[in-house]
Structures are given as C-alpha cells and as structure tokens.
C-alpha cells in the first residue's frame, strides 16, 4: 500500500487494448457511487450525468461497462495519476478528427503533452511513448512523422478529476511526474537485463555510447525521465542543441519497450562489467561510435551479431529495426552494440512481414463451401412488428410483482418499493409498477424497462441488464451491404490440414436511417471490402453458419465512432471479432490463434446466436 494523494480517472478498455478516459464529470459520478458504498447498489448509470452515455451501465462488482442495447461488455478501471499532472489541473488535450469533432488523447499521452507545454518546449515527439507523432505548440498541430499529415490539436480546461488521499492500492497505475510532489522511485532491479536497459537509457540521454555501469555506480547520470527529442519533420527544421532536452514522466522512457523486445539473458550472464565495443580503445572508440549515423550503427551491430552466430553463441533477438514500434531504430542498434560489448550475445533481426492476404487465387480455384448454401448474402432489414408498443412487447417477458423486495432497481438505482427514478420521456405505465423477467428472475421497475427498451433498437427483443439474458430475437442496426464466402486452396497458420474460408464484407457509404445515431446524416464506410478468414474445419464451418445468422440479424457492423481514428458516423465492427490477417498475426487479428474459434462462438452467444439460431432462421 502507498500513502499519498492522487487524482482518480475512470477508464474503459477499447477493442485495441488502449485505456480511454471517461470525462471528469463522468468520473466524479462513478466515484460518488463508489464512495456511497453498498447503499448505492454496486451499479452506475452513466446516462444520469451524460445523455450520450444513456445505454451504458457500469457494474462495480465485476468492473465492467455494459451497453444495454447491444449487450457489449468492456473492462473498466479506477486509475490514479499525479495531482500535479494534467487531470489534476483540469487540462484536456484533444485532436481534431476527419469530421471536425474533437477527440481527447489517452490520459498518458495528454499528461506527456501537458508536461512539455508547461516547460515551454516548442514541440514534443511522442515516439518514445509509442506514437509516431510530433505536437508543434507554435501551430497547435499534430504531425504524422511517416505521412507528414497534419491535424489541429487544442488544449482546453475542464473539471478537475476527483481527488483521493490515503492508502492507494499498489498495483494500480500512477504515472509519476517530476517535481517536489513526485514519490521517490523504487530501487532499480539489479539483474543483468535491467542493468543493461538502464545503461542504454542513460547512454541515449547523454548522447553517447559510454561504458555500461550498474545503476548504483551512475552517480552523475541524468534523471530517468530525460529524453532527447529529434527535430520535428519539415523543411528547414533545425535540431535543438543540448538545451532542447526535455524531461517527462518516468513512463515516457522507452526502456520498457526495449525490455519487451529482448528476452531474458542467457545462463551464465550473471554480471555486467564496463566494457568497450570490439575494436574500440577507451574514449576515442566511444566518441567515434557516438558519431555514427543510424545506418552505420545497424551495420556494425549486425556484423557483430553475425560473428557471434558464427561462433555458435546463443542469441537474443532485438527486433523492430524498421521503426514500426516505439523502439527507435538507432536505439535498437545501440542496444545491440552495448549488449555485444557487455558480453551479452545479441542477434539483430527485422520483424516478420505483415501478410494480410493469401497468394493470388484464380476464379477456377474458388469453390463453394460444402453444407452452406449459396456464396453471398445481402443485408435484409428487419424491423419490429408494427402495432406493438413497448409495453406490449415487454408484457411477453414479464411477470408483475405485487410485493417487491426492499432492494435497488439496478437501472434507476431507486428502491423497488419506491417509484422509478427515471427522468426521461414518460412511458405510459405507472412508475411504481414492478416486474420480474420470466427466465432469469431479475426484478426491475417496469417503467425503467420500458425506458431502456425505447433507448435501444426497438426490435421486439430485450436483454437483462444484470445477467445479459436475451428475450426474443435480437437484431442490430447494420447498414445495407453484401457478405460473400467461399473456399480458397490455401491453409492458415496453425491449420495446415484444411483449406481456408474467405469472407468478404462490402458496405458502401450512405445515409443513416431512423435506427441509427444521426438519422438523415451521411455515414462513411472505411476499409471496405474487408477480407476475413476461417479454417475450413468442422468448427470453422459452424462459426461461418452463425456469422451468416449474425449478418441477417444486422449484428456484424454498426454505425458509430471509430476507436482507432476517432471518426464518428462511420461503419465499425460490432463486438464479433474477425481475423483479417491471412498469413501472420502481427496485429493480433491473424493466425495462429488456438482460442479464436471458441472465443468468437462465445461472442456470438452473447448476441443471442447459437446452433438453435440456425434452425430458427430456417423456420
């Protein structure tokens, strides 16, 4: 446990593994429910503080966010940050997306930008924390280092996130910020690998490749937060001199990225002693090494690696020399040189190539899938039966409760013995009526269930907000499009004994309908046609058949805001994961993946689609 003060930021995990912060107002609301204890019922209704979040409920017991109209579950967390950092001052940094709206940066990125801004640096390079962007404070622009594309950024003031003081759980993140309020750093690890990483970090901060030293011996090393920024891209740009070094939070240093790229040191490497690179003699050799450019550093390191390989010494891979990761290519080269100099074998390799698509396939090689009719299917728009009011729909699934228990309704958080606390458009039922769902037995105000139904797709189905049981046939809001599927004569990694099922989704841009977020407004459709792959095994064909049901029920895609680009009113995946890499798994969306088929079956089941669904569709 750690005794300190901190600001609390509640965050949710998107499908790309990044933690996205809730707004200060929403975090205050969640924190108030947490502090209220068991009396609050253990659930947080986000629509009470932000109408845009009306479908969302947070279950504090499981730490999950539940979307009532789609059944989507996402992890949430309560994270701690330094009270002197951006969230503790109510500062929010945002970038402008393609449709002109503003998207906040991840909290770690916003803190890093704010720290550089407070130090009055002209710009900040975000490469060290995993993003290929430069923020230019003079123009308030974001520059993509690879494409040179520019976007506007802005700094605005909002509420300060809630503050806590006392014992904080140690495992939860709290990025330190330099200054008097920062907690003293923990003692560094003394294992050879960590000693090496700290030495590389110090060498880069000094701008030289000096000898490796244990942390205890580096009395005059700069602080671990020192990062020297390369000049921003653009014509006429000049590099900063030594005064251009900026100091950022400890998490900015790319040593963690290096640690992820290198495996543990070979047996026998128990200590790291100061040493010079082969062929270098003392200070002269080190100065010459520091003057080498990136290409020469890589060539030297690779040549040393080849000597090690030829001598039969085990090697440690240091990948991503192409610059596709947070590790700067020059830093990777220096790492290899220093590891070799310290007697630690290293082999510099390039990352495997991304293989999104299979080899070319002729039309004669494409075959239909046995047991699956046709080779394509278009979206059929299914609506709820006309004449059915929400009250009439819910009546099929509910039993009235004359004597409700003295507990909370987890939708409005009021006692079931009291009238509903819902304050939106008024349903026609009385606010004090209580009903029990017939299959799962959970009890709610009928008034609240009608309001929840009206906020959803109004398709004649209902999903219990507590246990996620689906009543009726759930459908989605997927826009019109086409789904094609066939066999190709190639095997997926991990499935050498079978061919591959290729699925091609095609959805054009169009105008949103009444069931979409912004009726009458145009929507975009990026990245189509999208190619996806399944093994042609028994379980792979089962998944395909259920995906066809999901397609017919309009559950594969939706219209919303892209968590990748921040673009709103665009076609996005709808919580049923697909494999879009054919011959690799560099993005996590490829093969081999031993658990994928089971996972996607579970995701389809959460949408109310199982083997019984195929029989229902035939009926």
């Amino acid at each position: 446990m750690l005794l300190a003060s901190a600001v609390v930021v509640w965050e949710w995990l998107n499908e790309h593994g990044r933690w996205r912060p809730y707004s200060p107002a929403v975090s205050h609301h969640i924190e108030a429910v947490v502090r209220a204890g068991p009396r609050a019922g253990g659930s947080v209704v986000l629509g009470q503080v932000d109408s845009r979040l009306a479908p969302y409920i947070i279950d504090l017991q499981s730490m999950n966010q539940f979307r009532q109209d789609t059944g989507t579950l996402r992890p949430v967390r309560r994270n701690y940050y330094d009270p002197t950092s951006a969230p503790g001052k109510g500062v929010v940094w945002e970038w402008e997306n393609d449709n002109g709206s503003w998207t906040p940066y991840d909290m770690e990125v916003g803190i890093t930008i704010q720290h550089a801004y407070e130090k009055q640096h002209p710009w900040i390079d975000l490469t060290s924390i995993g993003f290929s962007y430069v923020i230019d404070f003079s123009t308030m622009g974001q520059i993509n280092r690879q494409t040179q594309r520019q976007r506007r950024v802005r700094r605005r003031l909002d509420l300060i996130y809630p503050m806590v003081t006392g014992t904080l759980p140690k495992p939860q993140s709290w990025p330190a910020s330099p200054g008097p309020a920062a907690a003293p750093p923990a003692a560094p690890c003394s294992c050879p690998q960590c000693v090496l990483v700290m030495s590389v970090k110090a060498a880069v901060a000094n701008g030289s490749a000096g000898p490796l030293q244990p942390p205890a011996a580096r009395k005059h090393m700069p602080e671990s937060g020192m990062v020297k920024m390369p000049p921003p891209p653009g014509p006429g740009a000049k590099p900063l001199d030594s005064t251009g070094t900026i100091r950022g939070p400890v998490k900015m240093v790319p040593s963690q990225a290096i640690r992820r790229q290198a495996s543990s040191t070979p047996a026998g490497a128990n200590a790291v002693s100061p040493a010079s690179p082969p062929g270098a003699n003392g200070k002269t050799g080190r100065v010459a090494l520091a003057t080498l450019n990136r290409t020469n550093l890589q060539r030297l390191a690779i040549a040393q690696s080849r000597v090690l390989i030829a001598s039969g010494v085990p090697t440690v891979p240091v990948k991503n020399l192409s610059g596709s990761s947070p590790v700067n290519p020059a830093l990777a080269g220096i790492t290899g040189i220093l590891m070799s100099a310290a007697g630690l074998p290293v082999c510099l390799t390039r990352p495997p190539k991304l293989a999104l698509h299979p080899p070319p396939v002729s039309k004669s090689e494409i075959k239909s899938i046995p047991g699956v009719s046709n080779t394509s299917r278009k979206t059929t728009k299914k609506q709820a039966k006309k004449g059915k009011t929400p009250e009439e729909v819910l009546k099929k699934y509910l039993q009235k409760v004359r004597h409700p228990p003295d507990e909370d309704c987890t939708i409005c958080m009021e006692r079931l013995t009291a009238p509903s606390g819902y304050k939106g458009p008024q349903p026609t039922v009385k606010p004090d009526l209580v009903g029990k769902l017939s299959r799962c037995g959970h009890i709610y105000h009928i008034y609240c269930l009608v309001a929840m139904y009206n906020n959803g797709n109004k398709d004649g189905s209902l999903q219990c907000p507590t246990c996620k049981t689906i009543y009726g046939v759930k459908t989605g809001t997927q826009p019109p499009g086409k789904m094609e599927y066939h066999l190709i004569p190639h095997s997926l990694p991990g499935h050498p004994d079978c061919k591959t099922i290729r699925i091609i989704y095609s959805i054009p841009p169009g105008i949103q309908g009444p069931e979409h977020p912004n009726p009458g407004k145009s929507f975009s459709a990026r990245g189509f046609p999208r190619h996806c792959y399944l093994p042609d095994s028994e379980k792979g064909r089962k998944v395909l058949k259920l995906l066809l049901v999901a397609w017919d029920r309009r559950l594969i895609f939706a219209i919303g805001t892209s968590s990748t680009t921040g673009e709103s009113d665009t076609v996005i995946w709808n919580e049923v994961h697909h494999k879009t890499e054919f011959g690799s798994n560099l993005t996590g969306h490829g093969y081999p993946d031993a658990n994928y088929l089971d996972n996607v079956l579970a995701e389809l089941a959460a949408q109310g689609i199982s083997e019984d669904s195929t029989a229902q569709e035939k009926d």
Side-chain angles (χ1 to χ4, degrees):
M1 302 296 284
L2 178 66
L3 186 63
S5 62
V7 287
V8 175
V9 178
W10 282 84
E11 300 169 322
W12 57 275
L13 186 67
N14 69 15
E15 61 266 35
H16 300 285
R18 298 206 62 82
W19 288 99
R20 303 287 296 141
Y22 289 103
S23 69
V26 173
S27 287
H28 274 281
H29 179 59
I30 301 171
E31 195 66 15
V33 175
V34 170
R35 294 176 184 179
R39 172 66 182 84
S43 296
V44 186
V45 182
L46 301 187
Q48 292 179 347
V49 67
D50 187 339
S51 60
R52 295 170 299 177
L53 303 180
Y56 297 97
I57 292 176
I58 290 179
D59 176 25
L60 296 174
Q61 297 297 323
S62 63
M63 291 294 280
N64 279 308
Q65 170 192 277
F66 170 59
R67 179 165 178 163
Q68 301 173 69
D69 54 350
T70 66
T72 303
L73 281 173
R74 294 188 183 276
V76 300
R77 71 178 182 182
R78 183 183 190 228
N79 212 358
Y80 301 107
Y81 292 93
D82 190 328
T84 65
S85 63
K89 299 177 180 178
V91 175
V92 179
W93 283 90
E94 299 174 320
W95 56 275
E96 186 180 32
N97 57 37
D98 290 339
N99 63 1
S101 58
W102 294 90
T103 302
Y105 286 95
D106 293 355
M107 191 55 66
E108 177 186 346
V109 179
I111 288 174
T112 301
I113 296 173
Q114 175 63 17
H115 186 76
Y117 180 84
E118 290 176 349
K119 294 293 183 180
Q120 298 185 347
H121 293 295
W123 44 265
I124 173 71
D125 188 344
L126 301 179
T127 304
S128 60
I129 56 173
F131 298 91
S132 185
Y133 297 106
V134 170
I135 306 299
D136 187 340
F137 295 122
S138 62
T139 62
M140 290 300 281
Q142 170 189 280
I143 305 168
N144 187 312
R145 291 177 61 91
Q146 296 178 346
T147 66
Q148 301 301 304
R149 180 179 181 181
Q150 298 191 25
R151 294 181 183 271
R152 290 195 301 164
V153 300
R154 72 177 184 183
R155 175 183 181 270
R156 66 175 180 85
L157 294 179
D158 203 326
L159 292 173
I160 295 175
Y161 278 88
M163 182 80 69
V164 294
T165 304
T167 53
L168 307 179
K170 187 176 180 181
Q172 290 192 285
S173 174
W174 182 13
S177 180
C189 177
S190 59
C191 74
Q193 186 71 13
C194 292
V195 169
L196 169 71
V197 169
M198 294 299 291
S199 300
V200 172
K201 181 174 64 178
V204 173
N206 279 338
S208 66
L212 301 179
Q213 297 177 346
R218 296 197 310 272
K219 296 180 180 179
H220 304 291
M221 287 289 181
E223 297 181 31
S224 61
M226 301 290 283
V227 179
K228 185 165 289 186
M229 298 188 302
K238 296 182 180 180
L240 296 179
D241 56 16
S242 58
T243 62
T245 301
I246 79 158
R247 180 175 301 163
V250 172
K251 289 181 69 176
M252 288 174 58
V253 181
S255 61
Q256 296 166 336
I258 303 172
R259 203 172 283 137
R260 288 195 296 268
Q261 301 300 329
S263 60
S264 59
T265 52
N270 296 323
V272 179
S273 59
S276 299
N281 292 320
K283 184 176 180 180
T284 304
R286 291 194 295 272
V287 172
L289 179 64
T291 62
L292 292 178
N293 61 25
R294 184 181 74 182
T295 302
N296 289 332
L297 281 171
Q298 291 181 6
R299 287 175 180 170
L300 176 58
I302 291 173
Q304 292 178 354
S305 300
R306 288 172 178 166
V307 171
L308 287 169
I309 295 172
S311 64
V313 177
T315 59
V316 177
V318 178
K319 300 182 180 180
N320 294 307
L321 290 186
S322 64
S324 60
S325 84
V327 182
N328 186 282
L331 180 57
I334 293 172
T335 304
I337 293 169
L338 294 178
M339 290 180 74
S340 299
L344 299 177
V346 58
C347 173
L348 295 177
T349 62
R350 293 191 178 274
K353 293 182 179 179
L354 184 68
L356 289 178
H357 303 295
V361 178
S362 66
K363 288 186 177 180
S364 61
E365 293 178 304
I366 295 175
K367 305 294 182 183
S368 60
I369 303 167
V372 180
S373 60
N374 303 318
T375 57
S376 66
R377 193 168 297 189
K378 292 186 177 181
T379 302
T380 55
K381 189 172 181 179
K382 297 183 178 180
Q383 298 287 357
K385 293 181 180 179
K386 293 183 179 180
K388 292 283 187 180
T389 66
E391 292 80 2
E392 290 173 328
V393 171
L394 298 184
K395 187 176 181 180
K396 299 185 298 183
Y397 311 133
L398 288 174
Q399 301 170 358
K400 286 187 179 180
V401 177
R402 296 184 181 278
H403 303 288
D406 187 21
E407 59 187 45
D408 286 343
C409 168
T410 57
I411 298 178
C412 70
M413 305 309 298
E414 295 292 341
R415 307 299 279 183
L416 291 169
T417 52
S420 167
Y422 178 71
K423 303 299 182 185
Q426 303 298 311
T428 58
V429 298
K430 296 180 179 179
D432 57 350
L433 291 180
V434 174
K436 180 173 72 172
L437 291 171
S438 58
R439 284 164 51 199
C440 64
H442 288 110
I443 302 175
Y444 306 95
H445 290 116
I446 297 178
Y447 196 83
C448 293
L449 287 173
V450 171
M452 187 180 80
Y453 180 84
N454 284 329
N455 283 329
N457 198 25
K458 300 194 235 357
D459 59 357
S461 70
L462 181 73
Q463 189 162 18
C464 174
T466 299
C467 67
K468 319 307 180 276
T469 298
I470 295 174
Y471 294 81
V473 177
K474 178 181 176 181
T475 62
T477 60
Q478 176 179 292
K482 185 179 182 181
M483 176 183 180
E484 301 174 77
Y485 41 95
H486 48 248
L487 282 181
I488 57 175
H490 299 289
S491 298
L492 292 165
H495 299 274
D497 300 328
C498 60
K499 296 179 182 180
T500 297
I501 299 171
R502 178 167 63 185
I503 304 171
I504 304 175
Y505 293 111
S506 300
I507 295 180
I511 303 299
Q512 298 181 51
E515 74 274 27
H516 294 135
N518 296 298
K521 186 177 180 181
S522 62
F523 67 88
S524 61
R526 312 289 185 192
F528 289 94
R530 299 186 185 182
H531 291 230
C532 309
Y533 304 95
L534 291 169
D536 184 33
S537 60
E538 181 180 353
K539 188 176 286 187
R541 292 183 189 180
K542 176 182 177 181
V543 169
L544 174 64
K545 292 175 181 178
L546 297 184
L547 287 176
L548 289 171
V549 175
W551 174 264
D552 288 341
R553 295 184 183 178
R554 306 174 67 199
L555 292 168
I556 300 292
F557 296 98
I559 294 176
T561 300
S562 169
S563 60
T564 306
T565 65
E567 180 183 8
S568 58
D569 298 304
T570 190
V571 179
I572 58 174
W573 292 106
N574 189 35
E575 305 308 322
V576 179
H577 286 83
H578 286 64
K579 292 295 188 181
T580 54
E581 282 184 70
F582 175 81
S584 58
N585 195 16
L586 300 185
T587 65
H589 302 298
Y591 295 91
D593 185 341
N595 299 319
Y596 169 66
L597 296 178
D598 290 327
N599 291 341
V600 76
L601 287 172
E603 290 172 346
L604 288 164
Q607 301 286 347
I609 299 174
S610 62
E611 289 185 89
D612 296 337
S613 304
T614 56
Q616 291 176 10
E617 293 296 308
K618 290 177 182 178
D619 296 339

